[in-house]
Short mmCIF file of all heavy atoms in Angstrom, two decimals:
data_model
loop_
_atom_site.label_atom_id
_atom_site.label_comp_id
_atom_site.label_asym_id
_atom_site.label_seq_id
_atom_site.Cartn_x
_atom_site.Cartn_y
_atom_site.Cartn_z
N TYR A 17 -66.12 -23.32 54.09
CA TYR A 17 -66.55 -21.99 54.52
C TYR A 17 -65.72 -21.42 55.66
O TYR A 17 -65.69 -20.22 55.85
CB TYR A 17 -68.03 -21.99 54.89
CG TYR A 17 -68.45 -23.07 55.85
CD1 TYR A 17 -68.40 -22.87 57.22
CD2 TYR A 17 -68.87 -24.29 55.37
CE1 TYR A 17 -68.78 -23.88 58.09
CE2 TYR A 17 -69.25 -25.30 56.24
CZ TYR A 17 -69.20 -25.09 57.60
OH TYR A 17 -69.56 -26.09 58.46
N ASP A 18 -65.04 -22.26 56.46
CA ASP A 18 -64.24 -21.70 57.55
C ASP A 18 -62.84 -22.33 57.66
O ASP A 18 -62.08 -21.99 58.55
CB ASP A 18 -64.97 -21.80 58.89
CG ASP A 18 -65.21 -23.23 59.33
OD1 ASP A 18 -64.76 -24.17 58.64
OD2 ASP A 18 -65.86 -23.41 60.38
N GLN A 19 -62.52 -23.24 56.75
CA GLN A 19 -61.20 -23.88 56.68
C GLN A 19 -60.84 -24.69 57.93
O GLN A 19 -59.69 -24.99 58.16
CB GLN A 19 -60.10 -22.85 56.38
CG GLN A 19 -60.27 -22.13 55.07
CD GLN A 19 -60.27 -23.09 53.90
OE1 GLN A 19 -59.33 -23.83 53.71
NE2 GLN A 19 -61.33 -23.10 53.12
N ARG A 20 -61.84 -25.07 58.73
CA ARG A 20 -61.59 -25.93 59.88
C ARG A 20 -61.42 -27.36 59.41
O ARG A 20 -62.05 -27.80 58.44
CB ARG A 20 -62.73 -25.84 60.88
CG ARG A 20 -62.76 -24.48 61.58
CD ARG A 20 -63.88 -24.35 62.56
NE ARG A 20 -63.85 -25.42 63.55
CZ ARG A 20 -64.85 -25.72 64.35
NH1 ARG A 20 -65.99 -25.05 64.26
NH2 ARG A 20 -64.76 -26.69 65.22
N VAL A 21 -60.56 -28.13 60.10
CA VAL A 21 -60.30 -29.51 59.74
C VAL A 21 -61.52 -30.37 60.08
O VAL A 21 -62.01 -30.35 61.20
CB VAL A 21 -59.05 -30.05 60.46
CG1 VAL A 21 -58.84 -31.52 60.16
CG2 VAL A 21 -57.82 -29.24 60.08
N VAL A 22 -62.01 -31.09 59.08
CA VAL A 22 -63.11 -32.02 59.28
C VAL A 22 -62.56 -33.39 59.67
O VAL A 22 -63.02 -34.01 60.61
CB VAL A 22 -63.97 -32.16 58.00
CG1 VAL A 22 -65.04 -33.21 58.17
CG2 VAL A 22 -64.56 -30.83 57.60
N ARG A 23 -61.56 -33.83 58.94
CA ARG A 23 -60.97 -35.13 59.17
C ARG A 23 -59.56 -35.16 58.60
O ARG A 23 -59.28 -34.50 57.62
CB ARG A 23 -61.81 -36.21 58.50
CG ARG A 23 -61.30 -37.61 58.74
CD ARG A 23 -62.25 -38.64 58.25
NE ARG A 23 -63.46 -38.54 59.08
CZ ARG A 23 -64.59 -39.15 58.81
NH1 ARG A 23 -64.70 -39.89 57.74
NH2 ARG A 23 -65.64 -39.03 59.58
N GLU A 24 -58.70 -35.93 59.22
CA GLU A 24 -57.36 -36.15 58.71
C GLU A 24 -57.31 -37.57 58.16
O GLU A 24 -57.62 -38.53 58.86
CB GLU A 24 -56.33 -35.96 59.82
CG GLU A 24 -54.94 -35.79 59.28
CD GLU A 24 -54.00 -35.16 60.28
OE1 GLU A 24 -54.42 -34.20 60.95
OE2 GLU A 24 -52.87 -35.64 60.37
N ILE A 25 -56.96 -37.69 56.89
CA ILE A 25 -57.02 -38.97 56.20
C ILE A 25 -55.59 -39.44 55.91
O ILE A 25 -54.83 -38.73 55.24
CB ILE A 25 -57.80 -38.83 54.88
CG1 ILE A 25 -59.17 -38.24 55.17
CG2 ILE A 25 -57.89 -40.16 54.15
CD1 ILE A 25 -59.89 -37.70 53.97
N PRO A 26 -55.20 -40.63 56.39
CA PRO A 26 -53.85 -41.12 56.13
C PRO A 26 -53.65 -41.41 54.65
O PRO A 26 -54.55 -41.90 53.98
CB PRO A 26 -53.73 -42.38 56.97
CG PRO A 26 -55.10 -42.73 57.39
CD PRO A 26 -55.98 -41.54 57.20
N MET A 27 -52.47 -41.10 54.16
CA MET A 27 -52.12 -41.39 52.77
C MET A 27 -51.37 -42.71 52.72
O MET A 27 -50.52 -42.98 53.55
CB MET A 27 -51.25 -40.28 52.19
CG MET A 27 -52.00 -38.98 52.03
SD MET A 27 -51.00 -37.63 51.39
CE MET A 27 -50.21 -38.33 50.00
N ASP A 28 -51.69 -43.54 51.75
CA ASP A 28 -51.04 -44.82 51.58
C ASP A 28 -49.90 -44.72 50.58
O ASP A 28 -49.85 -43.81 49.75
CB ASP A 28 -52.04 -45.87 51.09
CG ASP A 28 -53.06 -46.25 52.14
OD1 ASP A 28 -52.70 -46.24 53.34
OD2 ASP A 28 -54.20 -46.54 51.77
N SER A 29 -49.02 -45.68 50.63
CA SER A 29 -47.94 -45.75 49.65
C SER A 29 -48.50 -46.24 48.32
O SER A 29 -49.62 -46.77 48.26
CB SER A 29 -46.86 -46.72 50.14
OG SER A 29 -47.39 -48.04 50.17
N ALA A 30 -47.75 -46.08 47.26
CA ALA A 30 -48.18 -46.53 45.94
C ALA A 30 -48.42 -48.04 45.94
O ALA A 30 -49.37 -48.53 45.32
CB ALA A 30 -47.14 -46.16 44.89
N GLU A 31 -47.58 -48.78 46.67
CA GLU A 31 -47.73 -50.23 46.73
C GLU A 31 -49.06 -50.61 47.40
O GLU A 31 -49.75 -51.53 46.98
CB GLU A 31 -46.56 -50.87 47.48
CG GLU A 31 -45.24 -50.75 46.77
CD GLU A 31 -44.55 -49.39 46.98
OE1 GLU A 31 -44.94 -48.64 47.90
OE2 GLU A 31 -43.63 -49.09 46.20
N MET A 32 -49.41 -49.90 48.47
CA MET A 32 -50.66 -50.18 49.18
C MET A 32 -51.86 -49.85 48.30
O MET A 32 -52.84 -50.59 48.27
CB MET A 32 -50.72 -49.39 50.49
CG MET A 32 -51.98 -49.67 51.27
SD MET A 32 -52.16 -51.39 51.69
CE MET A 32 -51.66 -51.34 53.38
N VAL A 33 -51.78 -48.76 47.55
CA VAL A 33 -52.87 -48.38 46.65
C VAL A 33 -53.05 -49.45 45.58
O VAL A 33 -54.17 -49.89 45.30
CB VAL A 33 -52.61 -47.00 46.02
CG1 VAL A 33 -53.62 -46.72 44.91
CG2 VAL A 33 -52.67 -45.92 47.08
N MET A 34 -51.95 -49.90 44.97
CA MET A 34 -52.03 -50.93 43.93
C MET A 34 -52.59 -52.24 44.49
O MET A 34 -53.40 -52.90 43.84
CB MET A 34 -50.67 -51.16 43.28
CG MET A 34 -50.17 -49.95 42.49
SD MET A 34 -51.34 -49.41 41.22
CE MET A 34 -51.22 -50.76 40.08
N SER A 35 -52.18 -52.60 45.69
CA SER A 35 -52.69 -53.82 46.33
C SER A 35 -54.19 -53.70 46.59
O SER A 35 -54.95 -54.65 46.35
CB SER A 35 -51.93 -54.06 47.64
OG SER A 35 -52.51 -55.12 48.36
N THR A 36 -54.62 -52.56 47.08
CA THR A 36 -56.04 -52.34 47.35
C THR A 36 -56.86 -52.38 46.07
O THR A 36 -57.94 -52.97 46.02
CB THR A 36 -56.24 -51.00 48.08
OG1 THR A 36 -55.48 -51.02 49.29
CG2 THR A 36 -57.70 -50.73 48.39
N LEU A 37 -56.34 -51.76 45.00
CA LEU A 37 -57.03 -51.79 43.71
C LEU A 37 -57.12 -53.21 43.16
O LEU A 37 -58.15 -53.61 42.62
CB LEU A 37 -56.34 -50.87 42.71
CG LEU A 37 -56.53 -49.38 42.94
CD1 LEU A 37 -55.64 -48.58 42.00
CD2 LEU A 37 -57.98 -48.99 42.77
N ALA A 38 -56.05 -53.97 43.28
CA ALA A 38 -56.05 -55.35 42.80
C ALA A 38 -57.08 -56.18 43.57
O ALA A 38 -57.81 -56.98 42.98
CB ALA A 38 -54.66 -55.96 42.94
N GLU A 39 -57.14 -55.99 44.88
CA GLU A 39 -58.12 -56.72 45.68
C GLU A 39 -59.54 -56.32 45.30
O GLU A 39 -60.43 -57.17 45.16
CB GLU A 39 -57.90 -56.46 47.17
CG GLU A 39 -58.85 -57.22 48.05
CD GLU A 39 -58.60 -56.99 49.53
OE1 GLU A 39 -57.65 -56.27 49.89
OE2 GLU A 39 -59.38 -57.53 50.33
N ALA A 40 -59.79 -55.03 45.11
CA ALA A 40 -61.12 -54.55 44.71
C ALA A 40 -61.50 -55.12 43.35
O ALA A 40 -62.65 -55.55 43.14
CB ALA A 40 -61.15 -53.03 44.68
N HIS A 41 -60.55 -55.17 42.44
CA HIS A 41 -60.82 -55.72 41.10
C HIS A 41 -61.17 -57.21 41.20
O HIS A 41 -62.13 -57.67 40.56
CB HIS A 41 -59.60 -55.52 40.20
CG HIS A 41 -59.79 -56.08 38.83
ND1 HIS A 41 -60.61 -55.50 37.90
CD2 HIS A 41 -59.25 -57.17 38.25
CE1 HIS A 41 -60.58 -56.22 36.79
NE2 HIS A 41 -59.77 -57.24 36.98
N GLN A 42 -60.42 -57.94 42.01
CA GLN A 42 -60.68 -59.37 42.18
C GLN A 42 -62.08 -59.59 42.78
O GLN A 42 -62.82 -60.45 42.33
CB GLN A 42 -59.61 -60.01 43.07
CG GLN A 42 -59.85 -61.48 43.34
CD GLN A 42 -59.82 -62.32 42.08
OE1 GLN A 42 -59.08 -62.05 41.15
NE2 GLN A 42 -60.66 -63.34 42.03
N LEU A 43 -62.43 -58.81 43.78
CA LEU A 43 -63.76 -58.94 44.39
C LEU A 43 -64.87 -58.59 43.41
O LEU A 43 -65.93 -59.20 43.41
CB LEU A 43 -63.85 -58.04 45.65
CG LEU A 43 -63.00 -58.51 46.81
CD1 LEU A 43 -62.98 -57.42 47.90
CD2 LEU A 43 -63.49 -59.83 47.37
N PHE A 44 -64.60 -57.61 42.54
CA PHE A 44 -65.60 -57.25 41.52
C PHE A 44 -65.77 -58.38 40.52
O PHE A 44 -66.88 -58.69 40.11
CB PHE A 44 -65.16 -55.96 40.80
CG PHE A 44 -66.11 -55.57 39.68
CD1 PHE A 44 -67.31 -54.94 39.98
CD2 PHE A 44 -65.79 -55.82 38.37
CE1 PHE A 44 -68.18 -54.59 38.98
CE2 PHE A 44 -66.66 -55.46 37.36
CZ PHE A 44 -67.86 -54.85 37.66
N GLN A 45 -64.67 -59.02 40.13
CA GLN A 45 -64.72 -60.12 39.16
C GLN A 45 -65.46 -61.33 39.73
O GLN A 45 -66.16 -62.03 39.01
CB GLN A 45 -63.31 -60.52 38.74
CG GLN A 45 -62.56 -59.45 37.97
CD GLN A 45 -63.22 -59.13 36.64
OE1 GLN A 45 -63.69 -60.00 35.93
NE2 GLN A 45 -63.26 -57.86 36.29
N ASP A 46 -65.30 -61.61 41.01
CA ASP A 46 -65.91 -62.76 41.66
C ASP A 46 -67.10 -62.28 42.51
O ASP A 46 -66.98 -62.02 43.69
CB ASP A 46 -64.90 -63.48 42.54
CG ASP A 46 -65.51 -64.69 43.24
OD1 ASP A 46 -66.60 -65.15 42.82
OD2 ASP A 46 -64.90 -65.17 44.21
N GLN A 47 -68.25 -62.16 41.86
CA GLN A 47 -69.42 -61.65 42.56
C GLN A 47 -70.35 -62.78 42.99
O GLN A 47 -71.56 -62.60 43.13
CB GLN A 47 -70.15 -60.65 41.68
CG GLN A 47 -69.32 -59.41 41.44
CD GLN A 47 -70.11 -58.31 40.77
OE1 GLN A 47 -71.33 -58.26 40.81
NE2 GLN A 47 -69.40 -57.38 40.16
N SER A 48 -69.77 -63.95 43.23
CA SER A 48 -70.60 -65.06 43.71
C SER A 48 -71.03 -64.77 45.15
O SER A 48 -70.30 -64.13 45.91
CB SER A 48 -69.81 -66.37 43.67
OG SER A 48 -68.65 -66.27 44.46
N PRO A 49 -72.23 -65.22 45.50
CA PRO A 49 -72.70 -64.96 46.87
C PRO A 49 -71.82 -65.66 47.90
O PRO A 49 -71.38 -66.79 47.68
CB PRO A 49 -74.13 -65.52 46.89
CG PRO A 49 -74.30 -66.29 45.64
CD PRO A 49 -73.18 -65.97 44.71
N SER A 50 -71.56 -64.99 48.99
CA SER A 50 -70.75 -65.60 50.05
C SER A 50 -71.66 -66.25 51.06
O SER A 50 -72.76 -65.79 51.32
CB SER A 50 -69.85 -64.55 50.71
OG SER A 50 -70.64 -63.55 51.27
N ASP A 51 -71.21 -67.35 51.62
CA ASP A 51 -72.02 -68.09 52.61
C ASP A 51 -71.62 -67.73 54.01
O ASP A 51 -70.61 -67.41 54.39
CB ASP A 51 -71.88 -69.59 52.41
CG ASP A 51 -72.46 -70.01 51.05
OD1 ASP A 51 -73.43 -69.38 50.61
OD2 ASP A 51 -71.91 -70.96 50.47
#
């Protein structure tokens, strides 16, 4: 409604995005309870 900046979000490189997705996928696959 007023074009004021709410937050500035850093952009990651493609390698960082792929690494983050791979880690998220691994965590999703291994849903065993952590101690």
Side-chain angles (χ1 to χ4, degrees):
Y17 51 89
D18 64 3
Q19 299 300 303
R20 290 180 56 195
V21 176
V22 175
R23 182 171 294 169
E24 196 161 318
I25 305 164
M27 292 178 49
D28 290 327
S29 66
E31 293 81 16
M32 181 59 102
V33 170
M34 294 304 290
S35 172
T36 302
L37 287 172
E39 182 179 357
H41 179 73
Q42 178 62 34
L43 290 170
F44 177 79
Q45 294 296 320
D46 180 16
Q47 294 190 21
S48 59
S50 60
D51 295 327

